[in-house]
Amino acid sequence: MTLSAGYKQECWVSMLRYFLVLSLLSLFLSCASRSCKTDNQPQGTLNDEPAKVGQNQLDAIRDDYALPALAVQVVSSKKPFGYVSGVRKWNHPTPALLTDKFHLGSCTKAMTATLLAIFIERGQLKWNTTLQEVFPQLVATMSPAYKNVTLELLTAHRGGIPGDVSSFQRGTLWQKLWDPSLDPVEGRKLVAKAMLSAPPAHEPGSTFEYSNAGYMIIGAVLEARTGKSWEVLIKEELFKPLGMNGCGFGAQARTKANPVDQPWPHTRTAGVLRPVTPDFQGDNPPTLGPAGTVHCTLDDWGKFAQLHMDGFNGRNTSLLKSSAFKKLHQSYPGDEYTYGGWLRVDRPWAGGPTFTHSGSNTMNHAVIWMAPLKDFSFLAVTNAGGEGAEQATDEAVSMLVKELQP
């Protein structure tokens, strides 16, 4: 298995593809593959009392796409609910549970941006803090174009950082990150030093280029300013205060657990689904953490979604004031990607803006849609990547939305 090839295919290209199909997403979130609402049915509201999607319908989606497990959850301060279908490991009898942990991939980015906002609210950083201010030790080798790049440009993927780490410097940097002995903090220092010393892919601020490296550098910024690793910071500042006790990093299962204790990752090659041993090779390198290595239970991921819905609706939260969420939910001018690691798109069924993101390490897939004006978020996950994973999670969300429309 060559993870670097998968990384280029799904982790770097995923958000470019996401933008190209946004016009279609409005269709799938009002029209499921098995049935579609007619024109005379209301489009702008959601039921206050959620009608639960049938378990057999979720089973059918999973069967259609031949996935090991598929899980969905509706997040709401009223009556949250969820469903799960399938097994933790292909061709193994242990069933998946709704309390299982699933890999979130690039949906981690919104968590990293929220973590950044916490330290900005405390006055330790600013959205317009520049890279030369944070990394004075790199100024001598830093490309002049990067010196005045701000943190908000990085979180909005406008910093000029190349999108594909795996081909940078002919792959030599990417290979270094695969050293199991490499401390993730040191790895992020390597990424910052190497990528900021090279010319930018674009003039900073001019062009959107989805960049995992940009979020790795945000992680390095937080580490440089606090003296703690991103992993420690996100546990202390986000997971623990919100009670997200089922969240962690990397592959969520133990290799030798019997029975299988958590969902295994899977790849699909030539239509054949294969489990991937959940060891160091079962995820992207730990250095990539701030861009996409978090796993969570759906309940815990839902706590993060509820935090953002509360913040959007003007409520001060235990972590941030409502004013901080305005920045996190604000799109870069002329773009749909926000400073907080979300895509912001209006949808009739949501009564206004939704906030969405997908994530995949090529062995798992996750997607989230938040409709804060309706106090609903929709989460869908599967422990497989590749063909069918994105389509299945999208279809599962569309069915939830349809069930909640009057």
Side-chain angles (χ1 to χ4, degrees):
M1 178 182 64
T2 305
L3 282 178
S4 61
Y7 167 88
K8 288 188 286 185
Q9 180 180 355
E10 292 200 39
C11 292
W12 174 56
V13 178
S14 63
M15 290 307 297
L16 174 60
R17 181 175 66 239
Y18 216 48
F19 273 102
L20 292 175
V21 302
L22 268 175
S23 60
L24 297 177
L25 294 182
S26 61
L27 174 64
F28 84 69
L29 284 177
S30 61
C31 183
S33 66
R34 291 172 176 76
S35 61
C36 186
K37 296 183 72 66
T38 59
D39 289 340
N40 63 351
Q41 291 178 292
Q43 297 291 310
T45 60
L46 293 176
N47 281 328
D48 287 338
E49 295 295 326
K52 295 184 178 180
V53 63
Q55 180 69 51
N56 62 331
Q57 293 176 300
L58 190 67
D59 291 339
I61 296 174
R62 185 185 59 79
D63 287 343
D64 284 350
Y65 294 101
L67 296 171
L70 179 64
V72 294
Q73 181 127 330
V74 173
V75 180
S76 174
S77 62
K78 299 166 186 173
K79 291 186 178 180
F81 66 91
Y83 285 91
V84 64
S85 174
V87 293
R88 290 172 173 172
K89 181 181 178 182
W90 192 245
N91 289 330
H92 192 282
T94 306
L97 302 177
L98 196 58
T99 53
D100 280 350
K101 302 172 184 179
F102 287 90
H103 197 277
L104 305 186
S106 286
C107 296
T108 301
K109 289 181 173 67
M111 297 180 180
T112 296
T114 302
L115 182 64
L116 176 64
I118 290 172
F119 286 95
I120 289 174
E121 189 167 88
R122 290 178 186 171
Q124 293 179 252
L125 289 163
K126 298 179 181 179
W127 286 105
N128 63 359
T129 296
T130 64
L131 291 177
Q132 65 179 341
E133 290 175 312
V134 180
F135 300 125
Q137 74 279 14
L138 299 182
V139 169
T141 59
M142 189 181 294
S143 169
Y146 283 131
K147 290 183 178 180
N148 290 315
V149 167
T150 60
L151 303 185
E152 67 179 10
L153 287 178
L154 292 182
T155 60
H157 299 288
R158 290 277 179 164
I161 309 293
D164 187 4
V165 183
S166 64
S167 64
F168 182 76
Q169 293 181 339
R170 299 183 179 181
T172 57
L173 176 62
W174 184 239
Q175 290 303 316
K176 290 178 182 177
L177 302 186
W178 277 107
D179 180 355
S181 67
L182 178 65
D183 179 81
V185 174
E186 294 303 314
R188 289 186 276 271
K189 288 180 181 178
L190 282 176
V191 170
K193 183 176 181 180
M195 303 202 83
L196 297 180
S197 65
H202 310 280
E203 179 184 352
S206 67
T207 304
F208 176 93
E209 180 161 355
Y210 188 77
S211 176
N212 284 311
Y215 270 78
M216 285 187 259
I217 292 172
I218 288 291
V221 167
L222 289 164
E223 289 163 344
R225 191 52 58 98
T226 66
K228 295 182 179 181
S229 71
W230 170 84
E231 289 81 1
V232 168
L233 290 172
I234 203 165
K235 285 181 180 179
E236 291 181 348
E237 304 290 347
L238 197 67
F239 296 167
K240 186 176 180 179
L242 292 179
M244 297 168 65
N245 300 321
C247 296
F249 313 104
Q252 58 270 37
R254 292 180 296 170
T255 302
K256 297 181 180 180
N258 187 17
V260 177
D261 64 332
Q262 291 291 339
W264 278 42
H266 295 76
T267 59
R268 194 188 304 274
T269 305
V272 179
L273 198 64
R274 293 184 175 88
V276 177
T277 303
D279 54 15
F280 185 77
Q281 295 284 330
D283 193 12
N284 278 309
T287 295
L288 195 131
T293 68
V294 166
H295 64 248
C296 285
T297 65
L298 289 178
D299 274 347
D300 285 343
W301 193 15
K303 293 172 185 175
F304 179 72
Q306 191 64 55
L307 173 81
H308 274 266
M309 291 195 293
D310 288 344
F312 179 87
N313 288 316
R315 306 183 189 104
N316 290 329
T317 70
S318 60
L319 297 187
L320 288 167
K321 296 177 182 177
S322 61
S323 56
F325 290 97
K326 291 182 180 179
K327 182 68 176 185
L328 290 169
H329 297 152
Q330 178 185 345
S331 298
Y332 187 87
D335 206 345
E336 290 171 328
Y337 206 93
T338 71
Y339 297 109
W342 303 99
L343 278 164
R344 178 172 177 154
V345 288
D346 284 347
R347 289 292 178 263
W349 56 265
T354 63
F355 298 89
T356 181
H357 214 288
S358 67
S360 176
N361 64 352
T362 77
M363 297 168 281
N364 303 269
H365 193 90
V367 67
I368 179 172
W369 284 79
M370 294 194 309
L373 291 178
K374 300 300 179 182
D375 188 32
F376 283 109
S377 290
F378 306 94
L379 318 176
V381 290
T382 180
N383 57 332
E387 180 183 351
E390 181 179 8
Q391 295 92 329
T393 52
D394 287 350
E395 187 171 328
V397 170
S398 89
M399 292 182 67
L400 288 174
V401 172
K402 183 176 181 295
E403 286 292 323
L404 291 172
Q405 288 181 331

